[in-house]
Amino acid sequence: MKKSSPVSRSGRFSSGPAADVAKFTESISFDWRLWRHDILGSMAHAAMLQKIGILDRGELKAIVQGLNQIGQEITDGKFRWKEELEDVHMNIEAELTKRVPAGAKLHTARSRNDQVALDVRMWLRDELVDLNEEIRMLQRSLVDLGARFSEVIIPGYTHLQRAQPVYFAHHLLAYVEMLDRDAERVQDCFQRTNVCPLGSGAIAGSTLPLDREFVALELGFVDSKGRPRVTQNSMDAVCDRDFAIEFCSLAALLAVHLSRLAEDLILWASSEFNFVKIADAYTTGSSLMPQKKNPDIAELTRGKTGRVVGNLMALLTLLKGLPMTYNRDLQEDKERLFDSVDTVRATARIVGAMLQNTSVNVESCAQASSDPSLLATDLADYLVRKGMPFRQAHHAVGLVVGFAEKTGKKLNELTTAEYQAIDKNFGSDIHSVFDLQKALALRNLTGAPSGSQVRKQLARWSKILPSAKSRPS
Ligand code: ARG
């Protein structure tokens, strides 16, 4: 069975594509979501065509009205997308031309090659703005949780072994820093996405005197001074998908950061750690074991990282062997890009909400951080303050740890005499090293976990980040 495809194939082809070809090559099933930007791009292009005398005022008005009407029907769910029209561009243009004769002039000096590059850039720009906001809100949730439990101390870990004590808030603030770099990358990606490719045509621009800067201004492709930003090479403009790859790359890194946070939360919520309690509404039960409360949001956050990393690999692989310029392969960019955008945006939102519904088990944290061996390094620093070279101090404290282990005592349970038997530089004040609050207060370098440094960081972020109240519902 053969169906005809009215827009692009008229003239050269004696028949439309076979039904199975249409099914294989269509992109309308996923690129329909570019419709809003496709319409905005067409309106700007039409306004420019009127400015250079290709459309008259009446034609422009009819085109804009027709496009608005189609936009309304799409919003209302009344527009019928047709697979045989391949993609969002052809669907909208064909419908417009059916209603408005001047619609047939809309594609003047335009190709779907520069049109799709335009639409995806515009779509991604909007998503980047939203994602930036969502990352900010997630940072805010971390800062709020840290501030709610600002006195809580936990063991910090290396090799998943207890290492040194830190404020719980200090641990959370590490993620705030990671997310801040992610947000910077989002803004950076915006800069390179925000360049207008329209006017590049299929590959070689147009013989008609288009005003590319006018279109760029209409569509907000401007620099910080409001000057239009247009692509500088027509071939590059139609085949370049760097901006999509950059996005998928920053999304992969963001997903990795979220995955590490999720892993910490999973560990902390386990009975073995028992540092945090995630509210019931943000956990799930087991269908078999009645006692179970599972951190599924955190687990899915960790799990979804696989697909986001995979999307980046897919796009890099898609591009690597393509000859210049546009090849239909490029149509495969959209589902990967959409999926990365959807996944990281949804994940950032739900993790933020989960953190707002998470509390700290103060008792368990106090219990875990009271382990005096967490302060073994502080014992070595004590000896360094007495003038001992650090390597020697490390050795002396190693002997202390070995002795404590052998005698079944904790480091703070050894007597001054026992310390002095190992090294006479240990003084009668040696037990003051085990005062946890004082030990942390001494770690007062920039970026270190003393109470005053952590408070300073919490205050700094509270000022920078949007308040939780401004959160969109
Ligand atoms: N649906 C196509 C895509 O996503 C639009 C561009 C088609 N251009 C072409 N010359 N066939 O890439």
Side-chain angles (χ1 to χ4, degrees), residues 27 31 87 89 112-113 116 241 326 328 330-331 334:
S27 56
D31 70 9
D87 57 23
H89 325 292
R112 274 187 297 158
N113 297 355
V116 71
R241 293 294 181 273
Y326 180 85
R328 191 62 178 270
L330 288 174
Q331 181 168 292
K334 275 168 279 304

Side-chain angles (χ1 to χ4, degrees), residues 233-338:
N233 181 296
S234 60
M235 294 177 78
D236 175 43
V238 295
C239 76
D240 163 44
R241 293 294 181 273
D242 290 11
F243 59 96
I245 292 185
E246 268 191 65
F247 177 80
C248 285
S249 164
L250 78 86
L253 189 44
L254 168 60
V256 166
H257 288 153
L258 295 177
S259 183
R260 296 187 73 174
L261 170 60
E263 173 64 12
D264 276 345
L265 287 166
I266 292 164
L267 286 172
W268 289 347
S270 68
S271 313
E272 284 69 15
F273 276 78
N274 195 30
F275 287 180
V276 300
K277 181 170 180 301
I278 303 170
D280 288 356
Y282 287 84
T283 56
T284 57
S286 156
S287 56
L288 180 77
M289 299 165 282
Q291 87 284 11
K292 289 294 288 295
K293 197 174 118 168
N294 297 327
D296 288 28
I297 292 175
E299 289 171 292
L300 280 169
T301 296
R302 193 176 55 186
K304 283 177 189 292
T305 305
R307 62 200 274 172
V308 180
V309 171
N311 289 339
L312 171 62
M313 294 309 135
L315 286 198
L316 287 168
T317 312
L318 177 67
L319 266 285
K320 77 167 272 296
L322 285 191
M324 292 275 267
T325 53
Y326 180 85
N327 298 270
R328 191 62 178 270
D329 315 43
L330 288 174
Q331 181 168 292
E332 288 288 310
D333 62 351
K334 275 168 279 304
E335 285 164 293
R336 302 299 103 226
L337 177 65
F338 294 167

